[in-house]
Amino acid sequence: MKLALGTAQFGMPYGVSNAQGQPSLDDIVAILRVAAQANVRTLDTAPAYGVSESALGDAMRCLSNGPGCADFDCITKTPRFARARLDADDARTLRAAFETSLARLGVSQVGALLIHHADDLLTPGGECLFEEMLAIKAAGLARKIGVSVYTRAQIERVTDAFAIDLIQLPLNVMDQRLLADDFLKGLNSQGIELHARSIFLQGALLMPPEALPDYFTPWRSSLRAYHAAIQAQGLSPLAGALGFVQGVGAIDRIVCGVAAASQLLEILAAYRDSARVSHGLDYAAFAVNDDALVNPAHWPRF
């Protein structure tokens, strides 16, 4: 299964369309059971996602009658450093934070450790962080190391300087900036695994355009056109969003976050249905590529 389960919702209120808030422990256990049954085994988390790591670890330990921790492949990330120059102390901070993540998750190894903020790696002295990550990988504590990015410039600078295994990047029907010039296929040719996040644009692509907050008014006409095209294909917004990313052959994993098992079941059904999308839609026509829309860091709090 190409899907991965995002767990930001497990630790904090997340997403413009999230009306449910954080799920309970029982809710998370139910989500993981559905994921395991569907062979969705990659779990994406981070220390920055509130109590997500602890909640995820508690839920995995509760699965006494089903899959245990070893059946899931966790991806976690580093804390934010945000300093003008990094040194050995920051490398030690990275190691300590990673060990705390392992303890919270209740695992002895993760599938990948990512630099959560690419600019940390690109800061003077950032090589100290990368060397510590290499040591973590060499010790068998993380099978892969990589980075989470927002822009092509970050990707180019990171891959020019560091031999990474995995990049997590934003990609959705409104944000097609990374598709130009077969850029992603070039990364594949370097043996870099690619995980797409923000495929629903924090839920904005799943909501009726008129129901979105006033902030989205400048792009409402584009969103209306997209929804009309999806409806004409007989597809739900979920299937449309998933179909777009499925059509990008360079993507290895599609990260989807949920707050309830019912939402994951809907995503699984839409994923199966979404293969029809690529046969009838010119997705390029819906690209907006406006940073004020496609980068939720610029959004106000809703």
Side-chain angles (χ1 to χ4, degrees), residues 233 235-236 238-248 254 267-281 283:
Q233 292 290 314
L235 293 162
S236 69
L238 263 178
L242 286 162
F244 166 69
V245 185
Q246 276 193 281
V248 180
I254 302 171
I267 287 172
L268 291 167
Y271 181 83
R272 290 188 290 269
D273 197 35
S274 64
R276 293 194 288 118
V277 176
S278 60
H279 299 299
L281 280 181
Y283 272 112

Side-chain angles (χ1 to χ4, degrees), residues 101-162:
S101 292
L102 291 180
R104 287 172 176 161
L105 291 165
V107 299
S108 58
Q109 181 196 69
V110 295
L113 173 63
L114 308 183
I115 294 284
H116 202 163
H117 301 275
D119 288 342
D120 287 334
L121 197 56
L122 300 171
T123 295
E127 63 274 8
C128 294
L129 302 183
F130 188 71
E131 288 167 6
E132 190 63 35
M133 293 175 73
L134 285 174
I136 286 169
K137 180 181 175 181
L141 302 176
R143 292 196 304 279
K144 296 178 181 179
I145 55 176
V147 63
S148 176
V149 303
Y150 280 98
T151 68
R152 177 168 175 161
Q154 287 177 326
I155 295 174
E156 290 173 337
R157 290 183 63 194
V158 167
T159 54
D160 282 347
F162 304 103

